[in-house]
């Protein structure tokens, strides 16, 4: 019959106390394993420095795009501001034959729609088709002025990701070149470091491109809304000229 021997916990303590060096080594090992590993973090600035020379044109594109977005947003906000009593006052002046005060009101208001009305007032007395053509030409000029800088945003939205991919390809070429130069002493760190640096440009290019794309679409939507307002003011003015005299 096989008998099992019960181990007394006190025997272990006695064993460890009998060999102080062994007990100390076990305590140090357990303490080392229990210590948490310090986490490494990456800052945005460190990532930018890892990107190489491709990050310079990307930074320039981002700065110019941010400037254009802020400047156009302010300009479009001013252009969209409308005085609701403007057209009613224009109607009163035209019905009274006071074209000088109507023109001064347009100049004082100084908005795209006011400049369209001013151009139409200056053509009163000519055929209606000439008045409409003059207003439409002025409207085209106003819309072109509102869209100033938008081609740059569109170019940035398409070009920034391509610059990022170019930086990635250059980085990959450099990484494999370093791997080949290392020869038999090559290890995973040589390749991983180069790939890590190469992918930074892709991230930066995509971020700049996405921001520029959203900014472009937002500004285009604002301009389309202003264009609809200009068309409404044009039709209202033409209807005013077609009204029978009082």
């Amino acid at each position: 019959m096989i008998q099992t021997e019960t181990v007394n916990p006190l025997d272990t303590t006695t064993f460890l106390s009998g060999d102080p060096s062994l007990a100390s080594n076990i305590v140090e090992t357990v303490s080392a394993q229990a210590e948490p590993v310090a986490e490494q973090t990456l800052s945005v600035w460190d990532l930018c420095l890892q990107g190489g020379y491709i990050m310079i044109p990307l930074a320039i594109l981002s700065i110019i795009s941010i400037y254009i977005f802020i400047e156009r947003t302010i300009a479009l906000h001013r252009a969209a501001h409308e005085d609701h009593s403007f057209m009613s006052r224009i109607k009163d002046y035209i019905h009274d034959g006071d074209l000088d005060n109507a023109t001064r009101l347009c100049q004082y208001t100084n908005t795209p729609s006011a400049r369209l009305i001013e151009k139409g007032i200056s053509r009163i007395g000519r055929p209606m088709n000439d008045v409409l053509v003059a207003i439409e030409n002025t409207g085209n000029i106003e819309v072109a002025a509102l869209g100033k800088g938008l081609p740059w945003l569109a170019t940035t939205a398409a070009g920034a990701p391509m610059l990022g991919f170019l930086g990635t390809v250059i980085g990959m070429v450099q990484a494999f070149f370093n791997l080949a130069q290392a020869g038999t002493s090559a290890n995973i760190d040589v390749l991983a470091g180069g790939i890590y640096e190469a992918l930074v440009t892709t991230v930066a290019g995509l971020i700049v491109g996405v921001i520029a794309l959203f900014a472009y679409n937002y500004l285009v939507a604002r301009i389309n809304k202003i264009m609809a307002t200009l068309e409404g003011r044009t039709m209202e003015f033409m209807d005013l000229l077609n009204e029978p005299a009082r």
Side-chain angles (χ1 to χ4, degrees), residues 49-227:
L49 293 179
Q50 294 291 341
Y53 294 108
I54 295 295
M55 297 297 292
I56 296 177
L58 288 176
I60 295 174
L61 288 175
S62 63
I63 293 173
I64 297 177
S65 298
I66 292 172
Y67 169 77
I68 291 175
F69 175 73
I70 295 175
E71 188 272 335
R72 283 294 88 193
T73 300
I74 296 174
L76 293 176
H77 177 73
R78 293 175 178 173
H81 179 71
E82 288 289 339
D83 184 3
H84 298 290
S85 64
F86 172 75
M87 286 305 299
S88 61
R89 295 169 66 185
I90 290 293
K91 289 179 181 180
D92 293 338
Y93 284 136
I94 292 179
H95 287 156
D96 295 338
D98 192 356
L99 301 183
D100 292 335
N101 280 332
T103 301
R104 279 192 289 270
L105 177 60
C106 294
Q107 294 173 350
Y108 175 78
T109 305
N110 194 28
T111 59
S113 59
R115 287 189 284 271
L116 261 65
I117 302 302
E118 181 184 0
K119 177 61 68 173
I121 293 173
S122 67
R123 296 295 189 270
I124 290 180
R126 297 187 181 183
M128 297 296 294
N129 187 53
D130 293 345
V131 177
L132 181 59
V133 169
I135 294 177
E136 289 178 348
N137 291 336
T138 304
N140 292 333
I141 295 174
E142 292 293 335
V143 171
L146 292 175
K148 182 180 63 176
L150 264 65
W152 179 271
L153 286 179
T155 302
T156 302
M162 300 304 295
L163 281 175
F165 293 145
L166 175 62
T168 298
V169 172
I170 294 175
M172 293 293 291
V173 171
Q174 185 65 39
F176 282 103
F177 175 78
N178 295 336
L179 185 64
Q181 291 294 107
T184 56
S185 61
N187 52 42
I188 190 62
D189 293 336
V190 176
L191 185 61
I195 295 176
Y196 158 72
E197 296 177 7
L199 293 178
V200 171
T201 59
T202 299
V203 175
L206 289 175
I207 291 175
V208 174
V210 168
I211 293 176
L213 178 62
F214 278 96
Y216 173 81
N217 289 332
Y218 172 79
L219 295 177
V220 168
R222 292 288 302 272
I223 291 176
N224 290 337
K225 186 176 180 180
I226 295 175
M227 289 176 58

Side-chain angles (χ1 to χ4, degrees), residues 28-36:
E28 290 178 358
T29 303
V30 173
S31 300
Q33 292 178 351
E35 291 180 357

